[in-house]
């Protein structure tokens, strides 16, 4: 598994770097970004926080806008940000070029329907291939946490709920918690997975939390002025499912905050410190 | 002087807002952004740090990427970021659409040559019109500092050196300190000001520092891996001019850092704290 470095920037005493590699999971060249804190070395392998971005994003949005490097440098944590879908000229996309499906909108599932099923395996890419690449090429340990925003918050929560043995903690900003019951999720899941709703529930955090047999530390921040709160996000559905399941989670409603990266940069320090406690 | 609000985002306990207004100085609609810290109110007017961006930037780059809101919120300082030039369909631009002259590249001068001289008065816009607009519409005092990056570092230094009564302190990241002697500056100044080099020297920090009669606190950060260091930036020229003039300044060479916003976000906290000391 070779990777190609395409950019390097010194940042907060560490390094921000972008790479591409030929993914055998999603069958195209994939780009990812990594922040390596100054503490990272072959004799001091650091834990990794995986960040999953939202609709339309690439590996760059979080690295450029969240202000997370400073805190990760202080705490000695690497951050890895993959792209949000396979990408390239030969990758099938939404026929209307919509922002909420296809390229930039992989929803962190393994598609089963043609033509998506050859490429759109972002679940396996994030859970299996990418960590193997990261651990093979960088001075990091296999100790991991996961976080994300919006569609990426859905990805982080659903992946953590299905893989509580792989991650120490999970957090999310403005996550889509109940994709089977909201327009963004219904469009994506019906296209990627077909009409069998049993398959959809395998990626629905409200359904998954009821089946969880072990509990990861879970922190969620949600702005109460988020323009997508009532139609697409519905955090109250996850809160209710968690209560029914006896799954402890902290959901913080943040007054006046919207869906933008200004919200993420306002609270990212809390999230990185939350994960750092569990990554030690 | 009316202004129109076009976006609002809660950020770090304060507010990030964008506005447009019809500028009588540059004869077009101008957009600016302001960060208002939570302390700002009509009974508690806060000081303002003006940020001048570099080539190709708008009011958005610094606000989205620098990570400054958190620190400004802690210290009770507003931040104002103007655009880097007049902008719009009727604004004359570089005939080849180059990034280093015309739209996105006003160089914070008052152009005297046609066709630039009707619009490209970014010096007067930043020094006179914009502060009047800001102080008229927001809960801020007239206590000011100024900072910027690259072309905006040139703007901050040259404006502060010419107006030591208006600002309490000045700082810069990777500034163009000697525009009369580097390609970016020579292209811009010859087009905006004509061939009279006496006019150019009115905007050259190395020339201005020798004429300065009072000394503002001055902090400069420069990455030693900056791809523009030797051809366009030449901080050693300012250091030498300052020594000859007996003007105290702190120039910090930062090992391994480049010209990107990752450099700015790595050291912006130092700059905001530096200004806060002098804005009290």
């Amino acid at each position: 598994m070779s990777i190609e470095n395409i950019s390097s920037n010194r940042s907060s005493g560490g390094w921000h770097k972008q790479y591409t590699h030929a993914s055998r999971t999603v069958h195209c060249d994939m780009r990812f970004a990594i922040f390596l804190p100054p503490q990272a070395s072959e004799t001091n392998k650091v834990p990794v926080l995986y960040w999953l971005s939202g609709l339309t994003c690439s590996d760059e949005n979080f690295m450029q806008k969240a202000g997370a490097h400073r805190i990760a440098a202080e705490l000695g944590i690497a951050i890895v940000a993959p792209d949000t879908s396979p990408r390239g000229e030969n990758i099938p996309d939404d026929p209307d070029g919509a922002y909420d499906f296809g390229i930039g909108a992989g929803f962190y599932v393994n598609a089963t329907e043609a033509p998506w099923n050859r490429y759109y395996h972002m679940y396996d890419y994030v859970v299996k291939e990418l960590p193997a690449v990261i651990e093979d090429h960088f001075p990091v340990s296999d100790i991991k946490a996961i976080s994300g925003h919006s569609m990426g918050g859905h990805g982080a929560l659903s992946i953590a709920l299905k893989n509580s043995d792989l991650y120490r903690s999970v957090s999310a900003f403005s996550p889509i918690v109940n994709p089977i019951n909201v327009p963004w999720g219904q469009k994506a899941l019906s296209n990627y997975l077909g009409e069998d709703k049993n398959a959809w529930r395998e990626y629905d955090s409200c359904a998954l939390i009821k089946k969880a047999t072990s509990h990861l530390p879970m922190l969620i921040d949600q702005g109460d002025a988020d323009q997508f709160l009532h139609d697409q996000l519905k955090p109250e559905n996850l809160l209710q499912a968690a209560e029914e399941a006896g799954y402890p989670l902290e959901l913080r409603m943040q007054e006046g905050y919207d869906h933008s990266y200004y919200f993420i940069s306002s609270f990212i320090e809390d999230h990185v410190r939350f994960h750092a406690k569990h990554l030690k």
Side-chain angles (χ1 to χ4, degrees), chain A:
Chain A
M1 297 186 294
S2 74
I3 63 176
E4 183 187 356
N5 178 245
I6 56 170
S7 82
S8 294
N9 312 93
R10 199 154 177 83
S11 184
S12 293
W15 287 95
H16 168 263
K17 293 171 185 259
Q18 289 175 295
Y19 292 84
T20 58
H21 70 118
S23 166
R24 59 182 187 219
T25 307
V26 301
H27 296 105
C28 69
D29 285 344
M30 286 292 280
R31 192 173 76 189
F32 66 84
I34 184 167
F35 173 74
L36 282 167
Q39 298 89 339
S41 72
E42 283 306 323
T43 54
N44 182 40
K45 296 190 170 190
V46 298
V48 183
L49 173 61
Y50 285 82
W51 173 269
L52 305 184
S53 278
L55 292 166
T56 77
C57 290
S58 72
D59 64 294
E60 295 189 334
N61 305 65
F62 181 81
M63 292 293 182
Q64 293 180 355
K65 295 182 175 180
H69 295 182
R70 175 186 63 86
I71 315 152
E74 175 194 327
L75 299 171
I77 296 172
I79 301 174
V80 171
D83 206 341
T84 52
S85 76
R87 202 178 285 269
E89 283 184 16
N90 61 329
I91 302 298
D93 194 6
D94 184 287
D96 303 320
Y99 74 96
D100 58 0
F101 178 69
I103 290 176
F107 272 83
Y108 308 103
V109 303
N110 290 334
T112 52
E113 296 294 296
W116 319 106
N117 56 347
R118 175 165 168 76
Y119 303 99
Y120 284 81
H121 284 208
M122 287 300 291
Y123 176 87
D124 277 350
Y125 179 73
V126 168
V127 174
K128 296 175 185 166
E129 185 177 12
L130 184 59
V133 168
I134 297 296
E135 290 160 28
D136 201 36
H137 289 90
F138 300 98
V140 301
S141 71
D142 62 358
I143 300 174
K144 291 186 271 293
I146 191 163
S147 183
H149 174 232
S150 194
M151 175 184 75
H154 143 71
L157 293 173
S158 59
I159 284 172
L161 286 165
K162 289 162 75 82
N163 298 279
S164 59
D165 54 326
L166 295 183
Y167 302 93
R168 297 285 182 92
S169 49
V170 57
S171 76
F173 292 82
S174 334
I176 303 167
V177 298
N178 195 188
I180 66 177
N181 283 322
V182 302
W184 277 343
Q186 290 164 341
K187 178 178 178 182
L189 298 177
S190 63
N191 277 287
Y192 289 135
L193 305 175
E195 293 306 325
D196 176 8
K197 298 209 174 166
N198 287 316
W200 299 18
R201 277 190 276 276
E202 282 300 307
Y203 299 103
D204 186 277
S205 293
C206 290
L208 292 166
I209 208 165
K210 294 181 184 165
K211 300 198 297 181
T213 52
S214 68
H215 298 159
L216 283 180
M218 184 180 290
L219 170 65
I220 299 174
D221 271 323
Q222 173 63 57
D224 73 1
D226 187 321
Q227 59 268 48
F228 302 113
L229 176 57
H230 301 298
D231 289 343
Q232 304 281 8
L233 305 179
K234 298 183 183 291
E236 66 278 8
N237 291 9
L238 185 66
L239 209 56
Q240 186 183 332
E243 272 176 28
E244 288 172 23
Y247 197 113
L249 71 84
E250 184 172 16
L251 169 62
R252 309 190 307 186
M253 295 302 294
Q254 303 287 4
E255 188 182 341
Y257 285 87
D258 62 23
H259 203 69
S260 72
Y261 258 91
Y262 293 112
F263 173 50
I264 297 172
S265 65
S266 297
F267 297 101
I268 190 65
E269 180 161 359
D270 292 355
H271 285 239
V272 180
R273 292 193 187 283
F274 162 80
H275 290 295
K277 270 192 309 189
H278 301 291
L279 289 168
K280 293 300 170 202

